Amino acid sequence: MFDNLSDRLGGVFDRLKGRGALKEQDVRDAMREVRVALLEADVALPVARRFIDAVTEKAVGSEVLKSVTPGQQVVKIVHDELVAMLSGDEGDEASEGLNLEAKPPVVVMMVGLQGSGKTTTTAKLGKLIREKHGKKAMMASLDVNRPAAQEQLAVLGEQVDIATLPIVTGQQPVDIARRAMESARLQNFDVLLLDTAGRLHVDEALMAEMKAVSSVSAPTEVLLVVDALTGQDAVNVAQSFSGEVPLTGVVLTRMDGDARGGAALSMRAVTGKPIKFAGTGEKLDAIEVFRPGSVADRILGMGDVVSLVEKAAATIKEDEAAKLAENFEKGKFDLNDLRMQLKQMQNMGGLGMLAGMMPGMKKAKQAMAASNMDDKVLVHMDAIIGSMTAKERANPNLMNAKRKKRVAAGSGTDVQRVNKLLKMHQEMGRAMKQLKKMGGLKSLAAMFGGGGGGAPGGMPPGMGGPAGGGLPGLGGPGGQMGGMPPGLPGIGGPKDKK
């Protein structure tokens, strides 16, 4: 979402950091470019103006201009102000999660315009509440206007294994809310999610309905769901709702899209309410807590290691990671192990997702895009390994020319790609042998201050490349271009031009 803004700001700061000393005019000229970049990203004018004034006031101080690294100091000031703009006075922790500690059933009321993604987001939150908070949740659709809206929520409820209120034809929203409250109490549900109706635009009838539902359900959380792709219109919608309904937070959907990012940057300042969650895809687990610090890091090209580690912890299976770690400890690494790691990469969102979250990987991501490389590479590699026999996967040395032709035909690829995969496996295998000579995982973890058997730095198994028993190349030995696996097509492995 923030790629264009990130590129513009990156160019401005590269020029600043390239100078040994800065004058006040240099800073003001740079801030003028930043202001233009923010406005082009659809940030609300008052928000952009306040941001630039705050940064300029701090950046032209003598401590910055006379420091050893003035360019770096300016970048830090911009980062801190981005965090402040996204989190408000409460700081980075203000937006984290829902308040579910009230007397049950805790009512979470979802509001927003039609098409913003309220129903899907309701199901995503229900799943998150059950899995992350261990709470028993029920969902109820109050949308009697949109055809099949209630049926849609019922279907989503089955998919995420969350109970939904039975549909009573002809019942009106306020009566549905009362019935949902009573049902939640009788069945001892911890949380009740109310999916309210939307409209194509804000009108008096919509607001009256929202107020009536709020009065009978007394919600602990009122979350405004807005589509980030609508840009400045999303800010206008947020203003309208915040003036009529007691909002407690905002959920931005389609944060994985190609919007310019202005809505996200403006929303906190305009509504005065924290952005609590961000929808990052169509899947029902594609929602994450909105962290201002992480978003600021992404905008300035610093990656998002916190989210990356969380994603790894959520997707990597402990038994698989333990098995891989055991094999690595023995210096053993066959194609079954490689296949397991490739699947872990796919589960975490693929190469593009990982590259976008890792510090310093922006250029690698651009190189992937320039070479028309996408996550099909992982699919092709998995197909190649899947076309081998069990003996070939366990002992890749059996792969002669005749076998390679058979595997290439069976996987719908060519011999060249089979050779690249085998070369990648050989190099990772050599890294495993080197690791064993160094004393194994425990010795390496101790060097980095991590726990025994885990990835460096105490990261969960699977996050330290081969050394961590998980994803190939995320910091693993011998990696190219920021630690991606050597020989992986299109990433920059040895002699790899494709």
Side-chain angles (χ1 to χ4, degrees), residues 189-210:
F189 282 100
D190 299 311
V191 182
L192 172 62
L193 293 148
L194 298 179
D195 177 26
T196 65
R199 299 285 194 279
L200 295 177
H201 57 85
V202 177
D203 58 24
E204 291 184 10
L206 172 63
M207 290 306 169
E209 185 177 297
M210 297 298 102

Side-chain angles (χ1 to χ4, degrees), residues 7 66 70 94 108 125 147 294-295 298 310 312 336 353 403 452:
D7 291 341
K66 293 181 180 180
V108 179
L125 285 180
S294 296
V295 173
R298 290 190 199 183
E310 282 193 351
N336 291 313
M353 173 72 76
R403 290 174 185 259

Side-chain angles (χ1 to χ4, degrees), residues 290-321:
F290 186 90
R291 292 188 182 86
S294 296
V295 173
D297 287 346
R298 290 190 199 183
I299 292 173
L300 297 180
M302 300 175 183
D304 184 2
V305 175
V306 174
S307 295
L308 184 60
V309 172
E310 282 193 351
K311 191 175 283 290
T315 57
I316 295 174
K317 297 179 180 177
E318 288 188 18
D319 54 343
E320 291 182 356

Side-chain angles (χ1 to χ4, degrees), residues 127-329:
K127 184 174 188 289
L128 184 142
I129 288 168
R130 188 193 75 234
E131 295 178 350
K132 296 289 178 68
H133 299 279
K135 303 280 188 180
K136 185 181 177 185
M138 181 174 75
M139 304 185 297
S141 174
L142 278 60
D143 190 349
V144 297
N145 298 318
R146 183 166 61 91
Q150 294 178 304
E151 288 80 0
Q152 180 191 358
L153 187 65
V155 170
L156 291 173
E158 290 181 6
Q159 292 176 8
V160 296
D161 194 23
I162 298 293
T164 54
L165 185 72
I167 300 170
V168 175
T169 306
Q171 197 167 37
Q172 293 306 299
V174 174
D175 296 325
I176 297 174
R178 287 197 183 98
R179 181 163 59 91
M181 290 289 295
E182 186 65 24
S183 179
R185 287 194 194 97
L186 292 174
Q187 298 180 62
N188 294 319
F189 282 100
D190 299 311
V191 182
L192 172 62
L193 293 148
L194 298 179
D195 177 26
T196 65
R199 299 285 194 279
L200 295 177
H201 57 85
V202 177
D203 58 24
E204 291 184 10
L206 172 63
M207 290 306 169
E209 185 177 297
M210 297 298 102
K211 289 178 182 178
V213 170
S214 177
S215 65
V216 300
S217 61
T220 301
E221 294 274 5
V222 181
L223 301 181
L224 172 64
V225 182
V226 289
D227 185 345
L229 292 180
T230 55
Q232 192 63 42
D233 283 343
V235 177
N236 297 333
V237 169
Q239 282 181 310
S240 300
F241 272 91
S242 62
E244 299 288 342
V245 184
L247 298 179
T248 60
V250 178
V251 181
L252 283 174
T253 60
R254 301 196 204 182
M255 283 285 282
D256 56 323
D258 57 359
R260 290 174 286 183
L265 293 175
S266 304
M267 199 65 66
R268 180 65 178 84
V270 169
T271 63
K273 304 299 178 184
I275 303 172
K276 297 210 169 192
F277 295 97
T280 56
E282 294 296 325
K283 293 183 179 179
L284 292 173
D285 58 356
I287 189 168
E288 57 187 44
V289 172
F290 186 90
R291 292 188 182 86
S294 296
V295 173
D297 287 346
R298 290 190 199 183
I299 292 173
L300 297 180
M302 300 175 183
D304 184 2
V305 175
V306 174
S307 295
L308 184 60
V309 172
E310 282 193 351
K311 191 175 283 290
T315 57
I316 295 174
K317 297 179 180 177
E318 288 188 18
D319 54 343
E320 291 182 356
K323 182 181 177 183
L324 283 170
E326 184 181 345
N327 288 345
F328 291 147
E329 192 71 40

Side-chain angles (χ1 to χ4, degrees), residues 80-95 264-265 268-269 272-275 290-293:
D80 292 345
E81 287 301 319
L82 276 174
V83 174
M85 178 166 62
L86 288 163
S87 61
D89 298 332
E90 295 86 349
D92 196 11
E93 306 301 319
S95 64
L265 293 175
R268 180 65 178 84
K273 304 299 178 184
I275 303 172
F290 186 90
R291 292 188 182 86

Side-chain angles (χ1 to χ4, degrees), residues 17 19-20 22 64-75:
K17 288 185 285 188
R19 300 179 185 180
L22 291 180
V64 173
L65 297 181
K66 293 181 180 180
S67 68
V68 179
T69 56
Q72 296 282 9
Q73 294 279 4
V74 173
V75 174

